[in-house]
Amino acid sequence: MAQINNDEVEIAVEESTPEPFAKANGGAPVIEEVKVDIVNENGNGSDIETSEKAVENIEEMEGSDAVEVDTEREADRDSLVPGTGSINGDIEGGYDDESDEGEEDIDDEDENMSNVVQGTTETILNKLEENLAQAPEVDESDLLQVAEPGPLDSEGKDIEQVLSIISNSIYREGEGQIFSKLCDRSALLSVVSHSLSAYITTLESVPLQRLSSRIASEVSMWMCDLFNFPGGLAHCHDDIREGLVRTVRMVLHDNYPDLATQGFLALTPAPPVLYITSSTYAEVAQYVCTQLGLPSSTIRYVSPNEEDVTGFESFQKALDADKEAGKTPLMCIANVHSTIFQKQTVTKLQELCKTNNLWLHLEGHALSALTLLPGQGDQTLAQRGDSMTLTFGSWVGIPSVPFVTLYRNDTPAAQIAGLGVVNPAVRLGCLPLWCVLRSLGQNQIRARIRGVFQMLEDITERLKSLTCLRLLSQTGDRTFAAVSGLETGDVDPSEVFHTVSPALAFQYVSDCPPDLSERVPPYTDNLNSWLGQILQRDAPHIPVEIVDVETTGYVLRLCPFEDVAMVGLAPEDVESFLQCVEEKCAILNATVTQRTKFMELIELEPSVQHVDIAHWAGLGGVRYIPFDYIDRGSEKILEMTEDDLKMVNQRNMELVATLRNTDSAFSLGEGPPPDHVMCVRFGMVTMETEVEELLTLVINCGKDIDEAVNQLQSMSEVVKNGVKQAQEELRKEADNQIWQEGILRHVPIVGSFYNWLSPVPDEAKAKGRYLNLQEGKLETTDKIYKHHMQIHIEDGQEL
């Protein structure tokens, strides 16, 4: 494994000192610069023409200006390859100026090889853009979302087919959102540079080590310069927790010199203590302890006490108590926006840590504001701590960029801890960051971070103007420092972390808020859940997260520094989001106001009840009670059996079905356990909505159903009684007919012969019965057979 110690980094920088950064919008991608260097070094007759084409290509790149390629010295300064243009270079340090014919052939081969790298990279970039523009067709059964995991095919697939499968799978999984995240040319460069970081490992070990050292040293120098961290080094890592783990390991070796030989026994006499200033870091601190084999008792949470005057008295007491207990205060892991800094600055905490020989490690999105400080004065240096972990990629809106940890370059145990170690055997992890830094330049990086802070300031001011919202990210009466003042020097550098909160958290509490000293009521949680879901649907360009805070309730959170798509967002998109928030808050205010009136109206009506529906943010539910279950005198609801409850639920289901024929906005709701009563569910309303009419509509519709049911029940009783009466009368009439006609007519065989000889007259036959539903009477069918309906046809004939 190749390692870079401090001397090697300094030597690598001295051998080829790069410019700290390209000027704003003037730094072309390194691929184009290599091409220019090779053309100028070729020495043939077409060098001028080719150079002009290269410059034109650079000018066409987004955010790039023309590049000066007049002098050979300027080209060599930015080139990562030796002066001849060779990728492998010369182990001895370069070729002589006097070259023979064989050396000219080598130059031609080097130029062709470099053109292959350049052309391959450009092809990958262009192909990636084409694939993002239109997803190629692929068999559905081959998609990773559809196909089941199985054994490897005996025969391999074509490369285009393999790329098509994974491209379509990514597109299907991302639902097209990958377009917005890769709309920037630098973002595409970051993605493609991962392929180059693997491609670079095909070099021989010595040239690979030399090139890797150069790239790592430049990344370290540029990042320290950007974040005002002079005399420091940078370590790139893929896991955000890895930098902290290695930093803690470095401090352990620095405080326990025998740790490398004695292991955990070296920690026994004076166990180390890690202090965290935010409870959200407990999981990360536990991960660090697990990786380093430290007990959970190593972690200690320190929070400001209400009695603290400066904010650090309780912290100092904790340090003194641990020292008296024979422990070694090792490190303080602080989030620069934690509550411990509400009364004091990082400068005071750093002084406290320095007094107690405590390593200070800083984290948090607010560290991005360090790039906006004008210079490197004493106040600026006091804000850096001893080490910092940076999520740089999300701050500038570039995906697939490694995390960076900056640390002081005065600790010999850094190499033992693995900090600064570059292992290019598989891939060069810092190359994507190097490409992004080269592509953007200092001015564009600062412009992107400044734009995010300005957007946060605009959103914060608009949200503060809404009285129905409370900002949880801006607590107290403290005002934030404007980023414009940081850059001009009008704001003291010690206030750099007192800017607008990088993560905005707000909560809807209405114009008449409940008691905010504890968690809000469940209905307020429902309102915030509705607001968050509507914003996610109607304004998806600014992602809003719904967070359940134990002590507060449902809170809406947005953090542009965590979503690369929000960096560089247009002002029109921000304005549309804010307008959406204002419109939805107006609906929420109207619903809360109308809900109070709605519940008062329900109290006046004995035939309806209000039902609290879980996870429902509208007016609520209304349960209709049939008048059969209401006491006429007291107008109170009678006790119901289980069958009665089922009948009432069935009646409310019929009511909702009837109402939906009038307005599809009505829906069926279900009450809380254990009864789970059915009800009519009312959603969000505006101030123009007449809730009296809605409630009257429900009551009248319910009464109509009751009357229809009662009519049906009375009719069924009439029919049932009529059938019994008809059966009884027909039976009596049949008995009387037997005695009147004689028994002989009913004797088998004889009766048939007798009826043939002497037929029964029509008047003596049994008369049928029919039920008159209009009058509720049972009548004979004589009237039906006596009155024949005559149908007159057009020609006057009668039937």
Side-chain angles (χ1 to χ4, degrees):
M1 177 183 296
Q3 296 181 344
I4 304 177
N5 56 28
N6 301 335
D7 296 335
E8 290 175 344
V9 173
E10 294 176 358
I11 293 173
V13 174
E14 290 175 358
E15 286 181 351
S16 180
T17 304
E19 294 180 350
F21 263 92
K23 300 299 181 183
N25 298 331
V30 64
I31 297 171
E32 298 291 340
E33 293 175 359
V34 172
K35 189 173 183 178
V36 173
D37 294 340
I38 295 172
V39 169
N40 289 338
E41 294 290 340
N42 191 22
N44 55 26
S46 61
D47 56 350
I48 299 177
E49 180 181 357
T50 310
S51 299
E52 293 175 354
K53 292 181 180 179
V55 173
E56 291 175 0
N57 291 335
I58 296 174
E59 291 176 348
E60 292 175 358
M61 298 288 287
E62 182 180 351
S64 300
D65 296 332
V67 178
E68 297 292 339
V69 292
D70 296 338
T71 62
E72 182 177 347
R73 176 180 296 178
E74 186 70 21
D76 290 339
R77 178 178 297 178
D78 288 337
S79 176
L80 288 182
V81 297
T84 58
S86 170
I87 290 183
N88 292 333
D90 185 19
I91 299 178
E92 300 297 331
Y95 295 107
D96 297 334
D97 293 336
E98 297 178 0
S99 58
D100 53 15
E101 294 180 357
E103 292 174 342
E104 292 179 358
D105 295 337
I106 295 176
D107 289 343
D108 293 338
E109 292 177 1
D110 292 337
E111 179 185 0
N112 294 334
M113 186 60 184
S114 181
N115 287 336
V116 169
V117 178
Q118 165 70 14
T120 302
T121 307
E122 289 184 345
T123 301
I124 294 175
L125 278 170
N126 296 331
K127 192 69 176 177
L128 181 60
E129 289 179 325
E130 293 176 2
N131 289 341
L132 290 176
Q134 53 181 359
E137 296 294 333
V138 68
D139 190 359
E140 287 284 335
S141 60
D142 290 335
L143 292 177
L144 301 183
Q145 290 86 352
V146 179
E148 293 292 334
L152 183 64
D153 296 336
S154 301
E155 299 295 333
K157 295 181 180 294
D158 184 68
I159 294 178
E160 291 289 338
Q161 187 176 3
V162 174
L163 293 177
S164 178
I165 291 174
I166 188 63
S167 298
N168 279 272
S169 299
I170 294 173
Y171 178 81
R172 178 74 62 87
E173 196 70 30
E175 298 179 353
Q177 296 181 3
I178 190 173
F179 295 146
S180 61
K181 295 183 179 181
L182 293 181
C183 60
D184 187 272
R185 187 73 175 175
S186 297
L188 290 172
L189 176 63
S190 173
V191 174
V192 174
S193 61
H194 282 272
S195 299
L196 295 177
S197 67
Y199 186 72
I200 198 175
T201 60
T202 59
L203 294 173
E204 297 293 335
S205 59
V206 175
L208 175 61
Q209 178 63 31
R210 183 166 60 242
L211 191 58
S212 300
S213 300
R214 167 65 186 268
I215 293 174
S217 63
E218 286 192 340
V219 167
S220 181
M221 176 172 48
W222 293 343
M223 291 299 293
C224 291
D225 181 58
L226 263 176
F227 289 90
N228 295 290
F229 205 96
L233 290 177
H235 176 74
C236 299
H237 46 92
D238 295 331
D239 190 340
I240 191 172
R241 301 169 297 184
E242 181 186 346
L244 180 58
V245 170
R246 298 196 180 195
T247 303
V248 174
R249 183 184 291 119
M250 175 187 67
V251 180
L252 279 173
H253 281 279
D254 189 48
N255 284 268
Y256 299 90
D258 298 332
L259 182 62
T261 56
Q262 297 183 8
F264 70 93
L265 295 177
L267 308 177
T268 305
V273 182
L274 297 177
Y275 301 92
I276 58 175
T277 63
S278 176
S279 58
T280 57
Y281 277 73
E283 184 178 353
V284 177
Q286 185 62 46
Y287 175 82
V288 172
C289 293
T290 303
Q291 295 297 311
L292 299 178
L294 300 175
S296 300
S297 58
T298 306
I299 307 170
R300 181 161 184 175
Y301 171 58
V302 290
S303 60
N305 196 314
E306 295 181 356
E307 300 177 357
D308 292 350
V309 178
T310 63
F312 298 127
E313 285 88 348
S314 56
F315 191 7
Q316 184 62 57
K317 292 179 181 179
L319 291 171
D320 296 337
D322 289 333
K323 291 178 181 178
E324 292 177 1
K327 298 181 179 180
T328 302
L330 189 70
M331 175 185 288
C332 175
I333 305 171
N335 187 306
V336 291
H337 261 279
S338 57
T339 55
I340 199 171
F341 297 117
Q342 291 183 0
K343 295 183 179 180
Q344 280 297 346
T345 62
V346 175
T347 306
K348 295 295 183 181
L349 179 60
Q350 190 170 9
E351 293 176 358
L352 176 67
C353 293
K354 187 175 182 180
T355 303
N356 293 272
N357 194 25
L358 196 67
W359 184 281
L360 178 59
H361 180 83
L362 300 179
E363 293 191 0
H365 298 304
L367 292 173
S368 59
L370 289 173
T371 61
L372 305 178
L373 293 177
Q376 293 186 354
D378 295 336
Q379 287 291 328
T380 301
L381 298 180
Q383 310 302 318
R384 68 176 189 175
D386 299 304
S387 59
M388 301 186 299
T389 296
L390 315 173
T391 56
F392 180 74
S394 62
W395 295 347
V396 295
I398 304 296
S400 305
V401 174
F403 304 104
V404 181
T405 296
L406 304 181
Y407 58 96
R408 288 198 334 246
N409 187 20
D410 57 359
T411 306
Q415 262 194 338
I416 302 177
L419 288 171
V421 174
V422 180
N423 182 19
V426 178
R427 66 182 181 91
L428 184 57
C430 59
L431 181 59
L433 180 58
W434 184 91
C435 293
V436 169
L437 292 173
R438 273 286 182 130
S439 174
L440 295 177
Q442 281 193 19
N443 291 345
Q444 193 172 157
I445 291 173
R446 292 191 174 99
R448 292 192 176 200
I449 295 177
R450 183 192 312 115
V452 175
F453 273 108
Q454 189 63 52
M455 177 178 62
L456 287 169
E457 289 181 0
D458 296 340
I459 295 177
T460 300
E461 291 297 333
R462 287 284 290 275
L463 294 181
K464 288 173 63 176
S465 65
L466 299 176
T467 57
C468 58
L469 299 178
R470 69 162 172 168
L471 280 177
L472 301 173
S473 52
Q474 296 292 138
T475 57
D477 298 331
R478 180 177 59 88
T479 58
F480 57 81
V483 291
S484 58
L486 286 177
E487 292 183 298
T488 58
D490 297 336
V491 176
D492 191 89
S494 62
E495 299 291 324
V496 64
F497 301 132
H498 288 167
T499 57
V500 61
S501 177
L504 293 183
F506 60 96
Q507 184 182 47
Y508 177 83
V509 293
S510 76
D511 291 328
C512 299
D515 183 12
L516 301 180
S517 60
E518 53 187 14
R519 185 184 176 101
V520 297
Y523 181 67
T524 306
D525 284 341
N526 297 339
L527 296 176
N528 282 277
S529 177
W530 179 87
L531 178 59
Q533 294 177 37
I534 292 298
L535 291 177
Q536 291 172 354
R537 185 195 67 183
D538 296 347
H541 51 280
I542 294 185
V544 175
E545 183 182 4
I546 305 174
V547 182
D548 186 3
V549 181
E550 183 178 357
T551 58
T552 308
Y554 284 8
V555 174
L556 304 185
R557 178 181 181 271
L558 62 93
C559 183
F561 285 109
E562 294 178 357
D563 194 315
V564 296
M566 290 190 64
V567 178
L569 205 62
E572 303 83 40
D573 295 332
V574 179
E575 182 62 27
S576 65
F577 169 77
L578 293 173
Q579 289 181 358
C580 184
V581 172
E582 293 176 351
E583 292 173 0
K584 305 312 174 186
C585 285
I587 295 176
L588 288 173
N589 290 335
T591 301
V592 172
T593 303
Q594 296 275 44
R595 185 172 184 265
T596 304
K597 180 180 179 181
F598 189 62
M599 295 181 68
E600 292 176 354
L601 293 173
I602 291 176
E603 292 294 332
L604 300 176
E605 291 290 340
S607 59
V608 289
Q609 281 183 328
H610 184 267
V611 179
D612 287 327
I613 305 175
H615 310 296
W616 185 253
L619 292 177
V622 173
R623 182 192 185 199
Y624 178 76
I625 307 297
F627 59 82
D628 294 339
Y629 298 95
I630 299 176
D631 186 14
R632 299 292 187 273
S634 62
E635 294 186 346
K636 293 184 178 180
I637 300 175
L638 302 175
E639 293 185 3
M640 301 182 190
T641 63
E642 185 176 352
D643 293 337
D644 294 337
L645 290 175
K646 290 181 179 179
M647 198 281 296
V648 174
N649 287 340
Q650 182 65 31
R651 188 70 56 85
N652 279 271
M653 294 171 66
E654 295 174 0
L655 176 59
V656 171
T658 305
L659 291 172
R660 287 184 64 85
N661 295 331
T662 305
D663 190 349
S664 60
F666 289 99
S667 59
L668 182 65
E670 183 177 351
D675 295 333
H676 297 286
V677 296
M678 297 298 175
C679 61
V680 183
R681 188 168 58 182
F682 289 86
M684 313 300 290
V685 296
T686 61
M687 293 304 297
E688 291 75 19
T689 305
E690 296 292 340
V691 292
E692 299 94 335
E693 295 182 1
L694 291 176
L695 188 59
T696 303
L697 178 62
V698 172
I699 295 174
N700 292 337
C701 187
K703 290 180 178 180
D704 292 341
I705 294 177
D706 287 344
E707 293 178 0
V709 170
N710 290 334
Q711 289 180 359
L712 185 61
Q713 289 177 350
S714 61
M715 185 181 297
S716 63
E717 289 295 329
V718 171
V719 172
K720 188 184 299 182
N721 295 332
V723 170
K724 290 182 180 180
Q725 183 181 352
Q727 290 177 347
E728 184 66 21
E729 291 181 0
L730 290 175
R731 185 183 61 79
K732 291 180 179 181
E733 189 173 331
D735 293 342
N736 293 333
Q737 185 179 2
I738 292 176
W739 293 108
Q740 293 176 3
E741 295 176 355
I743 300 177
L744 188 60
R745 288 183 180 274
H746 298 277
V747 176
I749 302 176
V750 178
S752 298
F753 181 72
Y754 185 76
N755 289 330
W756 176 71
L757 292 176
S758 177
V760 179
D762 294 339
E763 292 78 6
K765 292 181 179 179
K767 300 178 178 61
R769 303 290 191 277
Y770 77 94
L771 181 63
N772 188 343
L773 295 178
Q774 293 180 351
E775 300 179 2
K777 296 180 180 180
L778 188 66
E779 301 178 357
T780 62
T781 57
D782 291 344
K783 297 180 180 180
I784 297 177
Y785 293 112
K786 285 182 180 180
H787 302 282
H788 299 281
M789 182 181 294
Q790 295 181 346
I791 302 176
H792 297 274
I793 308 178
E794 295 179 355
D795 57 356
Q797 295 180 353
E798 296 182 358
L799 291 179

